[in-house]
């Protein structure tokens, strides 16, 4: 059992995580105009690995002499969780999401990505024995419908792109539920740091393949460098630590219930930075998202952990 204060910190960390990830779409939208896709992915996780290494050292120094039930050393079982999170999650799932967006378009891919909380909650039922209550189901449906109202269904139907996006959602859901137990046994910083290192190495190989196959050109300027540093340090290094800490403390379905904050943040930042117009659909969608999250968290006993212990 986790203390009430640790659960409150976990929820606050998760809210901050999804706000950060919402800003990731805005920054990535700018970077993708001048940089190759997998170069961005490689730099993102390489910088994140360096950031997490610094955070890990500070964390270890603070843990000296303190009592903890979590393992800092990654044994064979711990390395298995690193592989699941780093390769299956940070490489495969994120890669499928990028390709799905490329072929299906950002609107359709974002709409499919909204199925993440549903997929995670459903996968958590058989895998983690978590209970999916009626209120939680209603809240998730409301939140996803809110995303539908904001994102819409524009764009042409591209079957391969939709399939890739759905595979990304399914992969991420499975990674989330299967790493949650590991994050309750092994230190969050140790697992996430190692997973980021694995993702950086794999994405470097993918970047080389992309570069030689498409003859890509890298154009770096001050804004691009700042953008890469932001998505590496903040959107990946910090956010992944906060997300995994949330999974180590709370049921996976409770963590996934906050997913709608991400597209809501993206939409707000789109208005601020790209002068997008807010219509009635945005207001209605935002209301559904807020209502859905509140129903999931306040009416289902969000403070109670429903299993043992991810993105």
């Amino acid at each position: 059992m986790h203390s009430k204060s640790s659960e409150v910190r976990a929820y606050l960390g998760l809210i901050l995580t999804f706000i950060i990830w919402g800003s990731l779409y805005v920054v990535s939208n700018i970077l993708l105009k001048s940089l190759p896709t997998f170069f961005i992915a490689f730099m993102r996780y390489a910088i994140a690995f360096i950031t997490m290494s610094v955070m890990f050292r500070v964390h270890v120094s603070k843990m000296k002499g303190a009592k903890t039930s979590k393992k800092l050393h990654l044994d064979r079982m711990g390395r298995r969780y690193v592989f699941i999170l780093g390769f299956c999650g940070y490489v495969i799932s994120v890669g499928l999401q990028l390709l799905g967006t490329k072929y299906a378009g950002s609107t359709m891919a974002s709409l499919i990505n909204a199925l993440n909380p549903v997929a995670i909650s459903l996968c958590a039922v058989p895998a983690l024995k978590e209970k999916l209550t009626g209120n939680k189901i209603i809240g998730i449906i409301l939140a996803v419908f809110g995303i539908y109202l904001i994102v819409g269904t524009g764009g042409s139907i591209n079957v391969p792109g939709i399939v890739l996006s759905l595979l990304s959602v399914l992969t991420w859901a499975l990674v989330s539920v299967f790493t949650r137990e590991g994050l309750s046994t092994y230190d969050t910083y140790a697992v996430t740091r190692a997973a980021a290192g694995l993702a950086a190495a794999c994405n470097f190989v993918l970047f080389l393949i992309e570069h030689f196959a498409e003859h890509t050109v890298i154009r770096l300027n001050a804004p691009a460098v700042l953008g890469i540093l932001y998505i590496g340090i903040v959107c990946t290094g910090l956010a992944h630590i906060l997300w995994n800490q949330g999974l180590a403390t709370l049921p996976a379905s409770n963590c996934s219930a906050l997913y709608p904050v991400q597209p809501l943040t993206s939409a707000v930042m789109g208005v601020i930075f790209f002068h997008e117009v807010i219509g009635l659909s945005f207001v209605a969608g935002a209301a559904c998202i807020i209502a859905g999250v509140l129903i999931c968290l306040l009416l289902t006993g969000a403070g109670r952990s429903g299993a043992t212990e991810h993105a």
Side-chain angles (χ1 to χ4, degrees):
M1 288 293 293
H2 297 280
S3 66
K4 194 70 176 178
S5 60
S6 65
E7 291 176 350
V8 171
R9 287 195 300 271
Y11 277 116
L12 291 176
L14 286 169
I15 292 172
L16 178 59
T17 296
F18 287 115
I19 291 174
I20 291 172
W21 280 346
S23 69
L24 172 65
Y25 285 94
V26 177
V27 178
S28 297
N29 184 42
I30 298 172
L31 292 176
L32 285 168
K33 294 178 180 178
S34 59
L35 297 173
T37 302
F38 287 104
F39 172 76
I40 295 174
F42 160 63
M43 291 300 297
R44 174 184 178 183
Y45 282 102
I47 293 172
F49 175 71
I50 296 172
T51 303
M52 290 177 184
S53 296
V54 174
M55 295 171 69
F56 180 67
R57 287 183 177 276
V58 174
H59 172 66
V60 170
S61 65
K62 289 183 178 180
M63 292 299 293
K64 286 183 179 179
K67 291 184 178 180
T68 177
S69 58
K70 294 190 177 184
K71 300 178 181 178
L72 280 171
H73 174 71
L74 297 175
D75 53 22
R76 184 176 180 180
M77 184 63 69
R79 290 192 292 272
R80 188 183 75 169
Y81 287 114
V82 169
F83 175 80
I84 294 173
L85 181 59
F87 184 75
C88 300
Y90 297 162
V91 178
I92 299 299
S93 181
V94 173
L96 288 171
Q97 184 184 43
L98 288 171
L99 292 172
T101 302
K102 179 179 180 180
Y103 293 114
S106 59
T107 300
M108 185 61 70
S110 297
L111 181 60
I112 295 174
N113 190 58
L115 295 173
N116 259 310
V118 176
I120 292 176
S121 294
L122 291 177
C123 287
V125 174
L128 300 178
K129 311 302 180 186
E130 292 185 4
K131 295 180 180 179
L132 195 62
T133 63
N135 285 332
K136 190 168 288 185
I137 293 174
I138 293 173
I140 289 174
I141 292 175
L142 261 178
V144 173
F145 181 66
I147 296 173
Y148 171 83
L149 291 177
I150 292 175
V151 177
T153 57
S156 58
I157 301 300
N158 184 290
V159 175
I162 292 175
V163 171
L164 288 168
S165 297
L166 286 172
L167 287 174
S168 172
V169 170
L170 177 60
T171 306
W172 188 253
L174 291 172
V175 168
S176 296
V177 298
F178 285 121
T179 55
R180 183 170 182 261
E181 183 176 359
L183 291 169
S184 68
T185 304
Y186 298 93
D187 184 79
T188 303
Y189 286 84
V191 174
T192 312
R193 169 182 171 271
L198 176 61
C202 293
N203 277 307
F204 180 70
V205 175
L206 292 174
F207 159 61
L208 291 179
I209 295 173
E210 177 187 43
H211 175 70
F212 289 111
E214 302 180 7
H215 304 288
T216 56
V217 178
I218 299 173
R219 300 183 180 90
L220 286 175
N221 50 34
V225 171
L226 290 175
I228 290 173
L229 289 173
Y230 176 75
I231 66 173
I233 297 172
V234 180
C235 298
T236 310
L238 175 61
H240 280 327
I241 289 290
L242 291 174
W243 169 246
N244 288 334
Q245 284 181 330
L247 269 179
T249 306
L250 304 166
S253 53
N254 284 37
C255 296
S256 67
L258 294 166
Y259 252 101
V261 175
Q262 177 177 312
L264 180 59
T265 301
S266 297
V268 171
M269 293 188 71
V271 172
I272 296 174
F273 293 102
F274 300 129
H275 307 292
E276 296 176 357
V277 179
I278 291 181
L280 290 176
S281 60
F282 176 85
V283 176
C288 287
I289 289 172
I290 294 172
V293 170
L294 289 176
I295 288 174
C296 284
L297 298 183
L298 300 182
L299 300 183
T300 59
R304 295 187 294 273
S305 185
T308 45
E309 297 298 322
H310 175 70

